[in-house]
Amino acid sequence: MRRHNKSSLLRKLFRILFLFLVLTLLVSALRGRFALTVSHYTLHTEKLTESIRIVHISDLHNRSFGKDNRHLLAQVELQKPDLIFVTGDCVTRSRPERQISLDLLAALTEIAPVYVSMGNHEEAYDLRNGTDLYTLYTETGARVLEKEYADITLKGQSLRVGGIYGYCDPERTANPDDVFLRDFQNTNRYTLLLCHRPVSWLEKDALEFWRVDSVFAGHAHGGQIRLPLIGAVIAPDQGFFPGWTEGVHYAEDGMRVLIVSRGLGSSIFVPRIFNDPELVVVDISPAT
């Protein structure tokens, strides 16, 4: 009788633990679909005399946070950004929808100047649908940068904002990205580069090789599924348990920096688990 009672108790405990796990995963998946987390980072540089604030958006994949993305837009406006960066994959290559992204970009331009770089889904979307997203994005009022840069003055300070879709891998010979990057880094201005893919900056020493003050990237979706105490499970170009799929990463000299967003949406059926959609806010302040 005691053995039977013990076995029954263990079965009940197992069922409770299983139910708890299922509910936890369900809540996490719902948060990954509808929640919005704001991550704040502060960088320092001797090239600026006054702080600037950047809101960084990545990997929307046609996600809507409220009707017409009103919740997302409200959160962006609340941050009072000086600049808004969008680092690619606003659309999803396998879905024809694009109006959500176009409407969002147009609305963002009412808040602050918007700079956009392209992602792998934009490239594949154009090939699949015979479109020109570069032109469509530009028509929203955003400035699209593909191996291009803009020298701007903000709060009396000189900045260079550039964008590139590519790996920026310094180990590749005859890399077509090289010409642009050499030109881009040839300045005394504070440089900000929008580059969708982070892998070369993390694993190929691009952050050490290229003299770029700050790089903004996405692509990895934070690993899509994140496990407690372990982190990201898998990331594009980085494989299983990549480790680096979010946050701020410094070059060895502590001067140049890469900011990786977990992004907002998803391009695959697998839900975001323990991985809330992320809006990144970066304050770049004078060095003290």
Side-chain angles (χ1 to χ4, degrees), residues 37-43 52-57 75-76 78-81 83 216 248 259 261 278-284:
T37 298
V38 181
S39 298
H40 290 261
Y41 304 114
T42 300
L43 314 178
I52 61 172
R53 171 165 286 191
I54 296 164
V55 164
H56 177 202
I57 292 172
Q75 193 57 248
V76 172
L78 184 65
Q79 306 308 319
K80 295 180 169 54
L83 300 170
F216 294 77
V248 176
I259 302 100
S261 169
E278 180 183 45
L279 184 72
V280 174
V281 181
V282 179
D283 290 315
I284 306 177

Side-chain angles (χ1 to χ4, degrees), residues 12-63:
K12 288 180 180 179
L13 287 174
F14 176 79
R15 289 169 183 166
I16 291 171
L17 288 173
F18 179 76
L19 180 61
F20 176 77
L21 177 61
V22 170
L23 289 174
T24 300
L25 292 175
L26 178 61
V27 170
S28 178
L30 289 173
R31 287 188 59 86
R33 183 67 178 85
F34 299 107
L36 183 61
T37 298
V38 181
S39 298
H40 290 261
Y41 304 114
T42 300
L43 314 178
H44 295 91
T45 178
E46 295 179 348
K47 293 184 178 182
L48 298 184
T49 57
E50 189 173 349
S51 294
I52 61 172
R53 171 165 286 191
I54 296 164
V55 164
H56 177 202
I57 292 172
S58 192
D59 299 275
L60 179 71
H61 288 293
N62 286 315
R63 178 67 53 85

